[in-house]
């Protein structure tokens, strides 16, 4: 095992791992409330794409870009050597309510340069779709699914855009939208009725059902055999042994 | 009562004869043919669907993994989460800033104080509040204590998943002492809710730091014992080394953070790279793995506990006197005597209690290093006493999303170890 800033137990990692992070604790930063190197570079590289720039909570720089150019600009920020935002810290959305556009928020962090940047895209409620960045960062896979689940924003080109926290057949809408009431859209009675009438088949996605030899897993005589079927498989499926 | 023994007949199905004696069943054709012979049945073509969880102790919560198996090899793993979804973020939009704090410790109930602190820090950053020196050091102590708290649980339960039950008892004995420290400070063992915007709910009780000092002095003995039980244990090595490995570039791309990322050889630690609360002035090392497998994750977490002890000792040494809460009329209640004696203080008290703390318009993203990885609270305010949006960047959620990649092609038994080594907590994944 290697140690960082190893004053007590110096270790040695393979050389290939070293360049990923400069050593030592951060003593100074090139980001100030007035200036952020990536923002300045964005302005010169994509002059018309930086719609708005603001500084929030001290020294946190926020850049607003048009949603149709998110892939191009984020890809540049990730791959350009002097920026290298290789760590997608967070991807989320904000609904301000009152019919205002939804914001998709990308929180980037450059492990090499130790720099953070927040990029926002505003999506009008009539066109809730944006290109997926899961091709740039694998981390976006689940984060985009969560935004889709909670806000109903569609991510074009996402490999597997399904609900993630709510059940796949959840019919009440997208919970984190401001027009969604805290207790849900359906009455308690309706929610209970739906919960009780769940079909074991709903717990699986079509891909999984395709893997399973359906008649075997979900036996012919009703769904009570579904649990039995998977139990059998756990114990070894060959009845002769 | 006579002593009972069990006989196993290896490689054959035991059958009982009429008199109850063991009859050796005929060997099935091809079953024990070790010569790589002719009559091998085609097993490759048969894919099996195995549902693991949500009620399974080794999934560390209500995680459900649907596995596509080919023989004993995992070809694909599809995780299903959301069984513990409580809508914390939605609830937070209907609560004042201080009322959200009890929600935070219910997310990661294995390290509640880290969550309490992270939320308060984010709102304070948004409001431009600098907490007092004493509060800073106290929060560092709380966070490092809970890092140990969480890692001890991880160590004990992971050892059980690997088949060793003794470390579990050792670790839980030590956790019990941290529970007592929690209880003495906050009145609760798990749901601590210890912070407030601008400070802590209360100052430390008498003698708490002495208890903590005693804990710091004696924990390493237990750690050494568990170390001796596991680190060089051949079963432990066999279960962990080379299992669930991920390279540094992949780990960054998948958004892994915390010990999982560092085990893959990336020395990124928020405490070093984006320091808060004067972490740059504490002397501690960040252990970094080389192989990115379960064993390196084990080593990294183990070493982190020792480093946390070092930080705790330094924090205890520098723990200053002074006020615990910031003196800022926006967040701090006036004293009781003032409220009883002058009108303005009473109105101030009333308005703060009824309306709550108000944060200025804007948003703030504040990352801290939690026991699971990079934990960030993203708060969006419009000037009111409730957030427009409160978002938690859940480290376990992003870490877990890599599990499909980690277990692909490994054995079914390795899924348990990989899942355990990621150190997830479902309360935070599902929120």
């Amino acid at each position: 095992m290697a140690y960082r800033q190893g004053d007590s137990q110096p270790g040695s990692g393979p050389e290939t791992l070293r360049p990923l992070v400069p050593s030592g604790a951060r003593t100074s930063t090139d980001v100030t409330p007035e200036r952020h190197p990536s923002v300045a570079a964005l302005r010169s590289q994509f002059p018309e794409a930086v719609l708005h720039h603001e500084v929030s909570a001290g020294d946190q720089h926020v850049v607003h870009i048009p949603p149709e150019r998110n892939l191009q600009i984020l890809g540049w920020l990730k791959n350009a050597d002097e920026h290298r935002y290789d760590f997608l810290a967070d991807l989320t959305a904000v609904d301000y309510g009152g019919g205002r556009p939804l914001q998709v928020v990308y929180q980037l962090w450059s492990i090499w340069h130790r720099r953070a940047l927040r990029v926002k895209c505003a999506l009008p409620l009539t066109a809730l779709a944006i290109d997926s960045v899961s091709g740039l960062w694998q981390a976006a896979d689940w984060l985009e699914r969560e935004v889709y689940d909670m806000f109903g924003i569609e991510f074009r080109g996402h490999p597997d855009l399904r609900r993630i926290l709510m059940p796949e057949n959840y019919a009440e809408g997208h919970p984190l939208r401001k027009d969604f009431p805290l207790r849900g859209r359906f009455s308690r009675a309706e929610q209970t009725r739906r919960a009780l009438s769940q079909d074991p088949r709903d717990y699986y996605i079509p891909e999984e059902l395709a893997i399973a030899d359906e008649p075997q897993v979900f036996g012919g005589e009703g769904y009570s055999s579904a649990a039995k079927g998977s139990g059998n498989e756990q114990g070894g499926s060959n009845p002769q042994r | 009562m006579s002593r009972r023994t069990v006989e196993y007949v290896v490689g054959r199905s035991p059958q009982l004869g009429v008199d109850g004696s063991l009859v050796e069943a005929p060997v099935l054709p091809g079953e024990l043919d070790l010569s790589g012979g002719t009559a091998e049945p085609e097993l490759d073509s048969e894919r099996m669907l195995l549902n693991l969880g949500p009620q399974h102790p080794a999934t560390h919560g209500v995680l459900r993994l649907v596995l596509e198996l080919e023989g004993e090899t995992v070809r694909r793993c599809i995780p299903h989460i959301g069984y513990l979804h409580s809508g914390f973020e939605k609830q937070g939009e209907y609560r004042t800033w201080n009322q959200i704090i009890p929600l935070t410790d219910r997310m990661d109930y294995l390290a509640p104080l880290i969550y309490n602190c992270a939320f308060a820090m984010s709102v304070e950053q948004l409001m431009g509040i600098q907490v007092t020196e004493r509060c800073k050091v106290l929060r560092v102590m709380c966070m490092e204590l809970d890092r140990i708290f969480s890692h001890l649980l991880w160590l004990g339960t992971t050892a059980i998943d690997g088949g060793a039950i003794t470390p579990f008892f050792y670790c839980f004995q030590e956790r019990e002492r941290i529970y007592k420290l929690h209880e003495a400070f906050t009145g609760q063992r798990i749901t601590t809710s210890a912070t407030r915007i601008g400070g802590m709910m209360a100052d430390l009780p008498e003698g708490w730091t002495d208890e903590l000092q005693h804990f710091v002095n004696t924990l390493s003995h237990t750690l050494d014992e568990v170390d001796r039980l596991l680190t060089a244990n051949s079963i432990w090595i066999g279960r962990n080394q080379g299992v669930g490995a991920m390279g540094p570039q992949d780990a960054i791309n998948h958004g892994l953070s915390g010990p999982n990322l560092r085990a893959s050889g990336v020395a990124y630690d928020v405490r070093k790279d984006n320091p808060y609360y004067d972490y740059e002035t504490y002397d501690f090392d960040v252990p970094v793995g080389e192989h990115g497998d379960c064993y390196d994750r084990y080593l990294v977490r183990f070493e982190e506990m020792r480093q946390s002890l070092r930080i705790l000792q330094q924090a205890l040494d520098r723990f200053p006197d002074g006020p615990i809460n910031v003196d800022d009329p926006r967040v701090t209640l006036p004293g009781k005597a003032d409220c009883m004696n002058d009108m303005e203080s009473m109105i101030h008290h009333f308005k703060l209690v009824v309306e709550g703390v108000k944060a200025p318009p804007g948003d703030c993203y504040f990352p801290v290093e939690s026991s699971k990885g990079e934990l960030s609270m993203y708060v969006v305010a419009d000037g009111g006493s409730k957030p427009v949006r409160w978002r938690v960047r859940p480290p376990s959620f992003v870490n877990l999303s890599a599990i499909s990649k980690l277990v692909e092609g490994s054995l079914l038994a390795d899924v348990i170890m990989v899942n355990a080594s990621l150190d997830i907590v479902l309360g935070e994944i599902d929120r």
Side-chain angles (χ1 to χ4, degrees):
Chain A
M1 226 176 11
Y3 283 85
R4 170 155 180 200
Q5 214 196 20
D7 43 357
S8 61
Q9 287 157 297
S12 56
E15 283 309 306
T16 49
L17 302 182
R18 282 292 168 72
L20 283 169
V21 172
S23 60
R26 177 160 96 166
T27 47
S28 65
T29 169
D30 51 2
V31 176
T32 62
E34 293 78 35
R35 197 184 159 279
H36 190 296
S38 303
V39 175
L42 267 179
R43 278 194 195 282
S44 61
Q45 185 79 17
F46 307 98
E48 75 292 353
V50 181
L51 302 176
H52 179 55
H53 167 233
E54 62 190 347
V55 182
S56 189
D59 60 350
Q60 302 184 6
H61 290 253
V62 189
V63 176
H64 294 251
I65 61 170
E68 59 277 3
R69 299 190 61 183
N70 70 330
L71 259 189
Q72 181 196 10
I73 293 169
L74 291 171
W76 182 78
L77 282 170
K78 181 188 177 224
N79 295 321
D81 258 354
E82 61 273 28
H83 306 298
R84 266 171 88 168
Y85 289 96
D86 46 4
F87 189 74
L88 179 70
D90 199 9
L91 191 165
T92 186
V94 181
D95 184 0
Y96 285 90
R100 277 172 282 184
L102 260 63
Q103 284 180 345
V104 178
V105 184
Y106 302 92
Q107 184 68 42
L108 312 179
W109 174 258
S110 165
I111 290 184
W112 177 260
H113 294 291
R114 291 167 177 155
R115 220 185 269 155
L117 182 64
R118 186 147 66 242
V119 179
K120 290 187 177 182
C121 298
L123 296 176
L125 289 174
T126 48
L128 289 179
I130 192 167
D131 283 332
S132 165
V133 296
S134 56
L136 293 171
W137 296 281
Q138 287 281 328
D141 185 344
W142 279 26
L143 294 169
E144 283 180 346
R145 277 177 66 187
E146 192 189 340
V147 172
Y148 164 73
D149 189 359
M150 293 291 150
F151 289 91
I153 295 172
E154 188 202 335
F155 290 90
R156 287 184 295 254
H158 188 284
D160 184 23
L161 197 62
R162 293 181 281 123
R163 283 185 181 271
I164 186 162
L165 293 177
M166 308 307 284
E168 191 59 27
N169 57 357
Y170 184 68
E172 296 184 52
H174 301 285
L176 277 179
R177 293 269 282 274
K178 286 288 180 194
D179 54 8
F180 187 95
L182 183 60
R183 297 194 66 173
R185 287 191 204 281
F186 296 162
S187 66
R188 273 296 140 99
E190 174 66 10
Q191 287 171 348
T192 312
R193 197 188 65 73
R194 281 173 181 261
L196 291 178
S197 63
Q198 284 268 332
D199 179 341
R201 223 172 265 260
D202 298 338
Y203 304 144
Y204 294 87
I205 60 173
E207 277 178 69
E208 294 164 351
L209 293 176
I211 301 167
D213 190 8
E214 258 201 72
Q216 215 180 8
V217 176
F218 300 97
E221 67 282 8
Y223 297 121
S224 57
S225 58
K228 208 172 71 191
S230 56
N232 273 346
E233 296 192 345
Q234 241 167 344
S237 58
N238 190 345
Q240 282 191 318
R241 299 179 68 177
Chain B
M1 202 195 286
S2 63
R3 188 166 155 269
R4 291 197 304 183
T5 56
V6 182
E7 274 182 58
Y8 295 99
V9 182
V10 180
R12 293 172 175 81
S13 315
Q15 286 184 349
L16 295 183
V18 266
D19 55 345
S21 67
L22 211 60
V23 176
E24 292 198 353
V27 176
L28 296 173
E31 198 186 12
L32 287 179
D33 187 9
L34 300 174
S35 59
T38 51
E40 285 224 346
E42 260 192 65
L43 293 170
D44 289 2
S45 56
E46 198 176 323
R47 300 262 165 140
M48 194 167 77
L49 188 74
L50 179 68
N51 182 74
L52 180 73
Q55 275 99 357
H56 190 288
T59 55
H60 294 224
V62 280
L63 168 68
R64 175 167 159 245
L65 300 170
V66 176
L67 304 164
E68 181 185 351
L69 298 178
E70 187 185 316
E72 223 183 326
T73 312
V74 178
R75 287 290 165 228
R76 191 154 49 142
C77 166
I78 304 172
H80 292 256
I81 59 173
Y83 291 92
L84 217 54
H85 181 56
S86 330
F88 283 143
E89 289 175 6
K90 183 78 176 172
Q91 285 184 50
E93 292 171 15
Y94 293 81
R95 293 175 172 224
T96 64
W97 294 104
N98 270 323
Q99 284 173 342
I100 290 176
I101 287 168
L103 293 179
T104 60
D105 45 44
R106 281 155 178 82
M107 291 189 176
D108 188 351
Y109 33 82
L110 308 180
L113 285 170
I114 301 184
Y115 274 63
N116 291 162
C117 293
F119 176 75
M121 284 149 83
S122 184
V123 180
E124 283 153 10
Q125 171 95 356
L126 181 63
M127 298 178 74
I129 293 174
Q130 280 283 333
V131 293
T132 60
E133 275 305 308
R134 185 176 170 85
C135 182
K136 265 188 197 174
V137 179
L138 178 54
R139 283 189 184 173
V140 167
M141 288 199 297
C142 286
M143 287 192 283
E144 293 307 323
L145 187 65
D146 271 26
R147 192 182 317 281
I148 298 174
F149 189 55
S150 166
H151 282 0
L152 278 175
L153 181 123
W154 168 82
L155 183 59
T157 52
T158 305
I160 284 193
D161 289 345
I165 202 164
T166 316
F168 179 81
F169 298 120
Y170 286 16
C171 293
F172 269 64
Q173 254 178 344
E174 295 302 327
R175 286 191 92 232
E176 190 59 35
R177 294 164 68 193
I178 304 183
Y179 274 135
K180 291 217 172 93
L181 286 167
H182 278 175
E183 195 175 5
F185 176 25
T186 69
Q188 292 289 335
R189 285 155 61 89
I190 301 176
T191 52
T192 50
S193 308
T195 59
R196 297 290 180 271
I197 311 300
M200 305 298 278
M201 57 165 269
D203 207 337
L204 289 177
E206 195 71 26
W208 195 83
T209 44
D210 301 333
E211 284 292 313
L212 181 62
Q213 182 66 62
H214 177 65
F215 175 79
V216 171
N217 292 344
T218 48
L219 177 69
S220 51
H221 177 65
T222 310
L223 291 183
D224 290 343
E225 276 183 324
V226 180
D227 193 5
R228 276 202 298 278
L229 284 171
L230 288 179
T231 306
N233 183 315
S234 62
I235 299 174
W236 187 247
I237 289 174
R239 289 299 303 273
N240 282 289
Q241 279 189 359
V243 172
M246 190 176 248
Q249 299 293 355
D250 266 353
I252 295 176
N253 202 257
H254 275 88
L256 291 191
S257 54
N260 297 323
L261 179 65
R262 290 191 284 276
S264 290
V266 184
Y268 168 53
D269 188 319
V270 185
R271 292 173 295 174
K272 290 277 189 199
D273 289 309
N274 197 3
Y276 47 93
Y277 284 176
D278 306 330
Y279 261 111
E280 67 272 25
T281 62
Y282 291 87
D283 181 23
F284 67 103
D285 300 330
V286 176
V288 180
E290 290 167 15
H291 307 92
D293 57 1
C294 292
Y295 194 72
D296 272 15
R297 285 179 215 128
Y298 158 76
L299 289 178
V300 165
R301 287 210 181 84
F302 212 107
E303 185 58 31
E304 270 190 14
M305 284 193 270
R306 297 209 164 102
Q307 298 298 332
S308 287
L309 283 181
R310 282 177 71 189
I311 301 174
L312 274 175
Q313 185 58 56
Q314 292 168 53
L316 277 168
D317 291 343
R318 71 167 73 167
F319 193 43
D321 287 331
I324 192 83
N325 288 337
V326 70
D327 186 19
D328 188 324
R330 288 180 296 165
V331 293
T332 312
L333 293 173
K336 198 73 189 168
D338 289 343
C339 290
M340 290 300 169
N341 288 319
D342 74 276
M343 194 64 177
E344 283 73 24
S345 296
M346 183 152 189
I347 294 171
H348 180 204
H349 190 285
F350 178 79
K351 281 181 82 76
L352 257 187
V353 169
V354 172
E355 293 176 356
V357 172
K358 290 197 169 80
D363 55 354
C364 174
Y365 180 88
F366 195 93
V368 304
E369 184 75 27
S370 96
S371 56
K372 311 285 185 298
E374 178 175 332
L375 162 73
S376 314
M377 297 280 180
Y378 178 53
V379 289
V380 184
D382 60 355
S385 54
K386 291 171 183 169
V388 173
R389 174 99 167 91
W390 163 48
R391 153 82 179 163
V392 182
R393 191 259 187 205
S396 308
F397 179 87
V398 187
N399 288 346
L400 181 67
S401 70
I403 196 172
S404 312
K405 173 112 170 83
L406 289 171
V407 302
E408 217 172 77
S410 63
L411 295 178
L412 175 58
D414 293 341
V415 175
I416 302 296
M417 281 324 285
V418 171
N419 181 42
S421 78
L422 284 177
D423 190 17
I424 53 169
V425 54
L426 268 296
E428 170 209 286
I429 291 175
D430 294 342
R431 280 158 293 141

